[in-house]
Amino acid sequence: MKQTLEEVAKENILFNHRTVDRTLSGSNLAQFGITNFIQGAEWQAKQSPWVSVKDRLPELGDPVLIRLKDGTVRLAVLDTDDNSDAYFWSDNYSYETISGWDTTHWMPIPPLESKGD
C-alpha cells in the first residue's frame, strides 16, 4: 500500500533533522520548514490520484471515475447488493451495472477550476 502524506512527512522531517544542525532558530528554522514543505509538495505532485479498490472504496453513492481492467475509464457510483456484501458500480447514464471484479481503481472527480464565472 502507498504511504500516506503524513507518513512521508514524518520520514522527511526525521531525515532532514538528522542532517542539519539541531540548534536551528530564527530564519534558519524558517528555512528548514520551507524546505520540508517544498519537498512534501513535490512528493504529493508525483502521487497518482487513482486509488486501488484493494486499498479502499469510495463512499456509497458518491460519483467517481473508475478504471476497468481493460483500461476503460467510466463515471460511476458504488452500490451494494442488499442480500450480500458484494459491491458493484452503477453507470447512471447508460443504466449499466459494472461488476466489482472488473474494476481496478477509482478516483474522485477532480473539481473544475473557476475563472471568476
Side-chain angles (χ1 to χ4, degrees):
M1 182 154 58
K2 293 192 295 187
Q3 285 182 297
T4 65
L5 179 59
E6 290 80 11
E7 291 168 338
V8 172
K10 287 177 185 175
E11 278 184 15
N12 189 55
I13 288 173
L14 288 173
F15 173 79
N16 286 341
H17 187 63
R18 277 186 281 209
T19 59
V20 299
D21 180 4
R22 292 191 181 137
T23 61
L24 292 175
S25 64
S27 64
N28 290 331
L29 183 57
Q31 185 58 49
F32 180 73
I34 291 168
T35 299
N36 280 307
F37 181 85
I38 291 169
Q39 289 171 344
E42 289 169 348
W43 177 87
Q44 183 69 32
K46 294 176 188 174
Q47 302 309 301
S48 171
W50 291 101
V51 178
S52 172
V53 295
K54 294 177 183 176
D55 292 340
R56 67 183 169 92
L57 295 170
E59 296 294 321
L60 291 175
D62 283 354
V64 295
L65 297 175
I66 60 172
R67 188 166 58 194
L68 304 177
K69 288 180 180 176
D70 67 2
T72 303
V73 175
R74 304 280 296 271
L75 176 64
V77 295
L78 182 67
D79 204 349
T80 59
D81 184 345
D82 292 336
N83 300 322
S84 72
D85 290 336
Y87 70 90
F88 58 91
W89 302 88
S90 296
D91 179 341
N92 290 337
Y93 298 99
S94 66
Y95 301 104
E96 179 181 357
T97 298
I98 303 161
S99 165
W101 299 109
D102 291 332
T103 306
T104 62
H105 293 78
W106 66 273
M107 70 176 273
I109 297 172
L112 296 174
E113 293 187 21
S114 176
K115 300 262 181 184
D117 296 331

